[in-house]
Amino acid sequence: MTQPVIQTVELVKRYVTGDGQTVDALRGIELTIGSGEIYALLGPNGAGKTTLLSILTTLLLPTEGHAVVAGFDVVKDPAQVRRSIGVTFQEIVIDEDLTGRQILDFHGQLYGLNKAIRLDRITELASLVELVDVLDRKVAGYSGGMKRRLELARGLMTNPDVLFLDEPTQGLD
């Protein structure tokens, strides 16, 4: 296998409760995922899946261990990790006062994509997620499944090296 696109070594996330007890949300996670692989984390609620995803996407710091995403250390170079990834979170997080096109365009602007690239990506992704006919409508009028597909398009907008999907089928048509 070539250099892994995601690798964790002895990854631990520990919390201290209000009464001073420690709880391990993750304990010694070892993970190696190669480029082009699709990897699914399965487990019951509370197993640490979202905690692991939060560390890999730089939203949480690990307590111990080491994690690398797209060749960048999540602690030492979080900005480069964020430039290399796309994320669709478990909860739908979009501004319903905007149109689908505006959401995708603003996301592309945030990542520094020039206008021509943004327009091409929006056209390509709207077709991919089957939102061409509603792209210029306010998101408030979208069904739950349409919102989920828009979030998927947003995660792909920057053509990321790694795409993280937390509960990707929740609410999907």
Side-chain angles (χ1 to χ4, degrees):
M1 176 171 68
T2 61
Q3 180 172 341
V5 71
I6 298 173
Q7 186 165 33
T8 67
V9 178
E10 291 295 317
L11 200 62
V12 173
K13 181 60 179 178
R14 185 171 296 121
Y15 294 98
V16 178
T17 64
D19 60 1
Q21 301 293 315
T22 61
V23 176
D24 287 344
L26 300 175
R27 191 179 309 129
I29 302 296
E30 299 277 341
L31 184 62
T32 302
I33 303 171
S35 181
E37 290 184 22
I38 296 173
Y39 192 90
L41 292 173
L42 302 174
N45 291 341
K49 300 177 301 290
T50 298
T51 299
L52 176 59
L53 185 74
S54 295
I55 291 171
L56 295 176
T57 59
T58 75
L59 296 174
L60 285 177
L61 292 172
T63 306
E64 298 173 19
H66 184 73
V68 173
V69 175
F72 302 101
D73 185 287
V74 298
V75 173
K76 294 177 184 173
D77 206 352
Q80 272 305 122
V81 171
R82 287 190 290 271
R83 284 184 201 97
S84 303
I85 64 174
V87 182
T88 298
F89 294 104
Q90 186 172 353
E91 298 297 323
I92 294 176
V93 185
I94 48 180
D95 186 337
E96 294 193 351
D97 291 330
L98 300 177
T99 67
R101 183 179 309 279
Q102 289 171 320
I103 286 172
L104 295 176
D105 189 52
F106 289 158
H107 190 74
Q109 288 179 51
L110 285 172
Y111 280 81
L113 299 180
N114 71 43
K115 187 173 184 173
I117 290 173
R118 289 194 320 268
L119 294 176
D120 287 346
R121 291 294 290 160
I122 290 168
T123 300
E124 175 186 353
L125 292 169
S127 178
L128 177 70
V129 300
E130 300 178 351
L131 291 177
V132 172
D133 295 339
V134 298
L135 203 59
D136 293 309
R137 285 182 19 205
K138 285 192 176 188
V139 174
Y142 284 21
S143 70
M146 292 162 72
K147 291 174 186 175
R148 177 58 78 187
R149 287 185 277 140
L150 179 61
E151 284 212 327
L152 178 58
R154 184 177 62 188
L156 291 167
M157 185 69 187
T158 61
N159 200 21
D161 295 329
V162 179
L163 178 63
F164 290 99
L165 306 171
D166 191 2
E167 302 280 351
T169 60
Q170 183 176 319
L172 195 60
D173 294 349

